Amino acid sequence: METKLRAVLPDHELVKLYEQMVIGREFEEACAEQYTKGHITGFLHLYSGQEAVAVGATAGLHKDDYILSAYREHAQAIVRGAEPKRVMAELFGKATGLCKGKGGSMHLFAPELSFMGGYAIVGGQLPVACGLAFSAKYRQEDRITACFFGDGAVNQGTFHESLNWARLWELPVLFVCENNFYGIGTEVHRSSALPTVHKRTCGYDIPSEKVDGMDVVAVFKAVKYAAEKVRESGRPYFIEATTYRFRGHSMADPAKYRSAAEHEIWKSRDPIPAFARRLLDEGIAAEEELEAIRKRCTATVQDAVTFAEESPWPEDRQIWEDIYV
Amino acid sequence: MSELTYRDALNLALKEEMRRDPSVVVFGEDVALYEGSFKVTRGLLAEFGEERVKDTPISENTIVGVAVGAAMGGLRPVAELMTVNFALLAMDQIVNHMAKVRSMFGGQTHLPMVVRMPGGGGSQLGAQHSQSLESYFMHCPGLRIAYPATPADAKGLLKTAIRDPNPVIFLEHELLYNSKGEVPDDPEFLVPFGKANVVREGSDVTVVAYARMTVLALQAATELAKEGISCEVIDLRTLNPLDVETFVASVRKTGRAVVVEECWRTAGLGGDLAHRIHEACFDTLRAPVRRVAGLDVPMPYSREIEKLCIPRVETIAAAVRDVLAASV
Ligand SMILES: Cc1ncc(C[n+]2csc(CCOP(=O)(O)OP(=O)(O)O)c2C)c(N)n1
Ligand SMILES: [Mg+2]
């Protein structure tokens, strides 16, 4: 028996989770279109399919807990509160973007939201997360650090070094592995000797658990529990959220290495319609309300695209700015 | 001769060398089943099987380290790093192991290995994915470094790299993969290391370049010819060994030089080349050597400002005009 949603969160917060997943998806699908039009260039890694992880996890954290992620992070930033139009402008390379057009899709950053960045070197964010957690601990701040990374990152030295370090220094880090079963075209069992990612933490004496990353409420509950553990104990905790990306690794990847059957199974578990059904079944929201949310999200994303289109390019002199303080 | 892309020329070099020598093995992230993120290893798994063509975890330092050990043990590994940017995670194995093992152990072993890596900027990949690190490798003794400009050189240099008894850093430019050119069919076609190529003869200014910078320098030379300026363009082909003789002879003839590098200017390889020219040609130089280099900034994503950070045909042509204007 699934827990009833109302036992977990009040109605308006449940509906908000839905809205956040919808905006995450709408945003990504708009990005795909803008990439095809040539407005977004470079690498573009979309999050479609994985929304329940960012949305559930962010809801389970405090607002000022630090969040770090990899390069598939648009939804992470938006769910944390970044304005979709400033994210879109960044992707367009415009001066109004979150990072003035200098970062691009893979490098969003919003310190006022404690969103401490998207990083494009696989595994690069894990030591940085430990450092942020150390600073928070040292300054006696009541904030933990949530660090997101993929299944591909777990074979980097920094993964092992960071887990060991976090446990050794008793750092309040919540490691969240978004296991979408592929690192580009390599399936997890072809890159990891022990493909059940969460079991790897035993070497570092870090408690861990696996959660269904297609179920936003399950992720929320797991992260909330884990975050409390981290806060109480001052020690790291590890969550593996199993999920799936509906698109290729990036826009350049047709994802031929996955079977249509596999794709279909995961599509049938799409976290957004699945959650909508539960909201309806349990009488938390009516279809009209959900439809209104979808319309609102589409409009927000459309506004974001217009804003990005109309925004100015960075000026040439900005090349030399923001390098040294 | 066949017309091939730079990508397919590299691919052919790998296939020919694997057919020729069973000790050649290929491994790296997504090189086998996915056939490489830039598709340079296309068809290798199908032809040579999984004993010789292997996917690895995302563990760059260990990719290079395993290649070092495999080479020490008698194989000829050709490892791929998905891009040069990730070589920074492997700098320990590259600099402390790959480059050191032979001399540190008194010449008792050697490493017939190649580490291939695409690099360069200009694709709006942002600061962490747009780097040109050739100077980093060039700074380190013990490594051979090849960086082809054309499909023919891509094939010939990679084959030489695989047969070379020394450890080779083999750089490939991401923006050249689709470029086309005539490539010799002969499976014994090799381009020797340490022999720069005079790709265009001229009398007024010598332009020294490598890889994509050679392509841009040639375009600049075509533009400048319309103004009556005659450029001699030299493609270094390998950065180690460095064919000083060829570019020095050229500068002795023209009396002027422009050095073009894609990497950051400060402490970049162009400073070293310019110094070698100044030392060897002091008596015949008619102007100080000019440098055209990447700007000293982390690469911005936005295409409108990214393009200003990388040498262009215009900036090379301007440097040539400058060196002429400054001549005594
Ligand atoms: C150090 C490093 N090596 C290789 C890459 C190239 N690369 C980018 S994403 C990726 C796969 C990562 O997979 P995973 O961690 O599972 O994240 P996902 O893309 O599935 O979200 C690779 C190999 C990189 N960016 N950084
Ligand atoms: Mg993955």
Side-chain angles (χ1 to χ4, degrees), chain A residues 35-78:
Chain A
Y35 177 90
T36 312
K37 288 184 174 168
H39 292 152
I40 298 174
T41 49
F43 287 151
L44 181 63
H45 309 87
L46 300 180
Y47 197 64
S48 302
Q50 301 186 204
E51 294 86 353
V53 182
V55 172
T58 305
L61 296 170
H62 290 177
K63 269 209 150 7
D64 62 349
D65 287 341
Y66 288 128
I67 292 180
L68 294 88
S69 191
Y71 43 81
R72 200 182 293 288
E73 88 291 25
H74 311 159
Q76 294 272 11
I78 290 170

Side-chain angles (χ1 to χ4, degrees), chain B residues 133-153:
Chain B
L133 302 178
E134 45 274 19
S135 295
Y136 282 45
F137 301 119
M138 210 176 160
H139 187 60
C140 175
L143 302 172
R144 294 303 192 197
I145 308 158
Y147 203 171
T150 65
D153 280 1

Side-chain angles (χ1 to χ4, degrees), chain A residues 5-22 55-63 79 216-217 220-221 224 275 279 284-285 289-290 293 296:
Chain A
L5 294 181
R6 279 201 178 106
V8 181
L9 278 170
D11 288 11
H12 69 278
E13 290 195 25
L14 291 163
V15 173
K16 190 170 145 209
L17 296 183
Y18 178 75
E19 175 151 7
Q20 289 185 327
M21 288 200 289
V22 173
V55 172
T58 305
L61 296 170
H62 290 177
K63 269 209 150 7
V79 169
V216 67
V217 169
F220 165 73
K221 280 166 59 183
K224 193 169 160 52
F275 191 55
L279 291 173
I284 293 161
E289 195 182 340
L290 299 187
I293 286 173
R296 196 156 68 230

Side-chain angles (χ1 to χ4, degrees), chain B residues 92-168:
Chain B
D92 167 56
Q93 285 296 332
I94 293 173
V95 177
N96 283 324
H97 297 82
M98 180 174 166
K100 302 284 193 286
V101 157
R102 179 165 171 77
S103 73
M104 183 170 81
F105 295 144
Q108 299 180 89
T109 185
H110 68 282
L111 303 178
M113 61 180 283
V114 181
V115 184
R116 294 183 34 249
M117 48 190 118
S123 306
Q124 296 95 56
L125 303 183
Q128 295 186 326
H129 273 66
S130 303
Q131 300 172 99
S132 296
L133 302 178
E134 45 274 19
S135 295
Y136 282 45
F137 301 119
M138 210 176 160
H139 187 60
C140 175
L143 302 172
R144 294 303 192 197
I145 308 158
Y147 203 171
T150 65
D153 280 1
K155 182 181 176 194
L157 287 171
L158 183 53
K159 288 166 68 76
T160 303
I162 295 171
R163 296 186 194 188
D164 197 281
N166 296 295
V168 180

Side-chain angles (χ1 to χ4, degrees), chain B residues 24 44 53 61 70 98 100 168 171 195 208 211-212 268 279 288 293:
Chain B
V24 177
L44 260 52
V53 184
N61 204 26
M98 180 174 166
K100 302 284 193 286
V168 180
L171 299 163
K195 285 268 6 126
V208 185
R212 179 165 179 262
E279 263 184 345

Side-chain angles (χ1 to χ4, degrees), chain B residues 302-315:
Chain B
S302 184
R303 63 174 171 230
E304 291 305 307
I305 51 176
E306 182 199 34
K307 64 183 179 207
L308 305 177
C309 299
I310 304 168
R312 283 163 289 148
V313 174
E314 306 93 86
T315 53

Side-chain angles (χ1 to χ4, degrees), chain A residues 43 45-47 50 70-72 106 119-124 149-154 156 177-186 245 249, chain B residues 29-30 37 58-60 82-83 85-87 89 128-129:
Chain A
F43 287 151
H45 309 87
L46 300 180
Y47 197 64
Q50 301 186 204
Y71 43 81
R72 200 182 293 288
M106 306 195 285
Y119 299 82
I121 299 300
V122 169
F149 50 91
D151 48 283
V154 305
Q156 282 292 23
C177 179
E178 296 194 56
N179 182 1
N180 60 13
F181 298 97
Y182 291 86
I184 307 189
T186 301
R245 54 168 162 74
H249 169 71
Chain B
E29 294 159 20
D30 279 305
S37 80
I58 307 172
S59 310
E60 285 80 8
M82 201 173 272
T83 77
N85 306 283
F86 317 140
L89 284 79
Q128 295 186 326
H129 273 66

